[in-house]
Amino acid sequence: MLQATGINRNNNFFFFGQELCDQRQTTPHPATTICFDEGRLIPEIETSKEKKTRMAAVYKSLAKTSSKADKMDIDEDSKSSGNGVRKNKQRVLILSSRGVTHRHRHLLNDLAAMLPHGRKDVKFDSKSNLYQLNELAELYNCNNVMFFEARKGKDLYMWFSKVPNGPTIKFHAQNLHTMEELHFQGNCLKGSRPILSFDATFETEPHLQVIKEVFTHMFGVPEGARKSKPFVDHVMGFSVADGKIWIRNYEIREVAKTKGDDGDEEEEGATSKKSKKGGLDSKETDISLIEIGPRFVLTPIIIQEGAFGGPIIYENKRFISPNHVRAELRKSKASRHVARQEQTRDNLARKRKLGLENGEAFKDKSGLDTRELFA
């Protein structure tokens, strides 16, 4: 018995597996099939039960394929991220421009020592074509750029950028103090991971939220980063005051409590017993923060949407350029000089009126003057 799947408009039968097939195939009626039995056409009616079982089988096969595809995607993600946990892969490119001073260079070295996931590069020649830093970051497989731009051998501007999509933040750095200059008692392990402490003011304004996110990517050492150590022994503090961001670095120092009087010893014994019962550590320590350095102050100037380019999405209207400040100081000194010149000019004019221009006293000429008598 041969089974046909349908009949087209010209009453031509088409079969699966047969050589005679019409190219103008039409979809068969969903409820009927046609069978050949020795040249006779016998229509077979599909019951609702058979239809339900057929559709259930189709749905089951589709569900199996979709579940397999989802499993394959999950396996690929887990292989790429490691046990299904997304890794924070951040690398920072640290470099400076030409013309930096010794203080700027020492600050760059201190920050590079604090960031084990950073890569320090040679000086960048251009100051106008900063978009070339994107290609340099891609070359070194870095997705963050920290660029120190020196102007006139005095001013330092710091650029923090996310490559390749942005944003880019430009800061003016002031009150720079390096580790060698401060001589603080604090110390931390090289390559250890810091705790980032942000002021509550960072959540009040949108541009501060962007700055906080960029600082988290820059200064937050990811777990398992290159040259990093699995220790947390220092805190980086970021606080906002007077429209500026004050950055400090502290050591977390833990010191065991010293035994005092007998009463204190009894209290310590009671607390140790409680801690042992509760399964806690019996040793009690005092935690204090000791500054390490470096310390500096950043004033946000602009925020660009792209990486070293694009439209400006934020501009600090309160920022005054150091060039303008120096120009105002020169003008104030010039005004004082001009005032002194005017005063000397008035004094000379007054003396000229009194006849004291040559230093001689004014005398009334009369006939009894010796010069007049014996002339």
Side-chain angles (χ1 to χ4, degrees):
M1 180 182 292
L2 300 174
Q3 188 175 12
T5 58
I7 305 173
N8 59 11
R9 292 182 181 178
N10 298 328
N11 296 325
N12 295 324
F13 299 101
F14 54 94
F15 308 91
F16 286 108
Q18 297 292 328
E19 294 181 357
L20 296 174
C21 294
D22 191 359
Q23 294 180 357
R24 296 174 298 171
Q25 295 180 357
T26 58
T27 56
H29 196 275
T32 60
T33 57
I34 298 174
C35 298
F36 269 104
D37 186 7
E38 295 178 359
R40 291 182 299 170
L41 295 175
I42 304 173
E44 288 185 357
I45 306 299
E46 185 180 11
T47 60
S48 60
K49 234 183 227 187
E50 293 175 352
K51 185 177 179 181
K52 286 180 182 178
T53 55
R54 183 166 58 83
M55 294 303 293
V58 171
Y59 286 136
K60 192 180 288 185
S61 62
L62 290 174
K64 284 182 180 179
T65 55
S66 63
S67 63
K68 285 181 181 179
D70 294 339
K71 285 181 180 178
M72 290 293 290
D73 294 338
I74 292 171
D75 292 339
E76 288 178 359
D77 294 339
S78 63
K79 286 178 182 178
S80 61
S81 60
N83 298 326
V85 180
R86 182 178 176 275
K87 286 186 178 180
N88 181 20
K89 295 182 179 179
Q90 301 292 335
R91 292 196 66 187
V92 185
L93 180 64
I94 306 171
L95 71 166
S96 66
S97 66
R98 297 285 181 184
V100 292
T101 61
H102 67 282
R103 189 184 297 271
H104 303 163
R105 187 174 63 253
H106 290 173
L107 178 64
L108 186 146
N109 292 333
D110 292 343
L111 292 178
M114 290 169 53
L115 304 177
H117 63 299
R119 178 190 176 89
K120 191 170 67 172
D121 198 23
V122 298
K123 294 179 181 179
F124 187 66
D125 291 330
S126 177
K127 291 185 180 179
S128 58
N129 302 326
L130 296 182
Y131 59 87
Q132 297 177 1
L133 292 172
N134 299 329
E135 300 177 1
L136 196 62
E138 292 179 0
L139 182 65
Y140 290 120
N141 195 19
C142 297
N143 52 2
N144 301 286
V145 176
M146 185 185 299
F147 179 62
F148 289 71
E149 181 184 2
R151 294 282 183 180
K152 296 185 176 180
K154 300 177 182 178
D155 307 325
L156 178 64
Y157 296 94
M158 297 179 66
W159 295 77
F160 293 80
S161 178
K162 291 288 298 178
V163 178
N165 298 322
T168 302
I169 309 173
K170 182 181 180 181
F171 296 98
H172 178 229
Q174 294 173 305
N175 300 334
L176 309 178
H177 299 283
T178 60
M179 291 184 184
E180 295 181 357
E181 180 186 359
L182 294 172
H183 297 291
F184 282 133
Q185 295 181 357
N187 195 4
C188 65
L189 185 66
K190 186 175 181 180
S192 60
R193 302 176 61 202
I195 297 174
L196 303 182
S197 175
F198 290 94
D199 190 5
T201 316
F202 279 94
E203 299 296 334
T204 56
E205 298 183 12
H207 71 280
L208 292 178
Q209 294 178 0
V210 175
I211 292 172
K212 177 183 176 181
E213 188 67 23
V214 173
F215 280 172
T216 304
H217 293 179
M218 289 281 182
F219 296 102
V221 180
E223 186 178 0
R226 184 179 64 93
K227 296 183 181 179
S228 66
K229 296 179 177 60
F231 301 103
V232 178
D233 58 354
H234 63 284
V235 179
M236 289 195 68
F238 303 89
S239 56
V240 179
D242 298 332
K244 299 177 175 59
I245 300 173
W246 304 69
I247 300 177
R248 299 288 184 269
N249 187 25
Y250 299 95
E251 175 197 357
I252 303 174
R253 181 168 294 182
E254 298 182 2
V255 181
K257 286 185 177 180
T258 58
K259 293 183 180 180
D261 300 333
D262 296 335
D264 297 337
E265 290 178 359
E266 291 177 359
E267 290 179 359
E268 287 179 359
T271 53
S272 62
K273 287 180 182 178
K274 289 180 182 178
S275 61
K276 285 180 180 178
K277 289 180 181 178
L280 301 174
D281 190 7
S282 60
K283 295 182 180 179
E284 295 182 359
T285 57
D286 289 330
I287 298 176
S288 59
L289 297 178
I290 301 174
E291 190 169 357
I292 306 171
R295 55 162 65 172
F296 52 97
V297 181
L298 299 179
T299 305
I301 303 174
I302 58 171
I303 299 178
Q304 294 178 332
E305 186 177 359
F308 295 104
I312 296 174
I313 59 178
Y314 170 77
E315 184 177 1
N316 189 4
K317 301 294 184 180
R318 297 181 180 179
F319 174 72
I320 301 174
S321 173
N323 293 329
H324 184 69
V325 173
R326 286 191 289 266
E328 291 295 329
L329 290 175
R330 287 194 296 268
K331 285 180 181 179
S332 64
K333 291 181 180 179
S335 63
R336 290 197 297 268
H337 177 70
V338 169
R340 286 195 299 269
Q341 292 295 328
E342 289 179 355
Q343 187 177 2
T344 55
R345 194 180 302 116
D346 294 340
N347 292 336
L348 289 175
R350 196 178 300 112
K351 287 180 180 180
R352 194 177 294 112
K353 286 181 181 179
L354 296 174
L356 303 174
E357 186 177 0
N358 297 328
E360 298 179 356
F362 177 75
K363 294 181 180 180
D364 294 334
K365 292 183 180 180
S366 63
L368 299 176
D369 190 9
T370 56
R371 294 182 181 180
E372 293 291 335
L373 292 174
F374 302 102

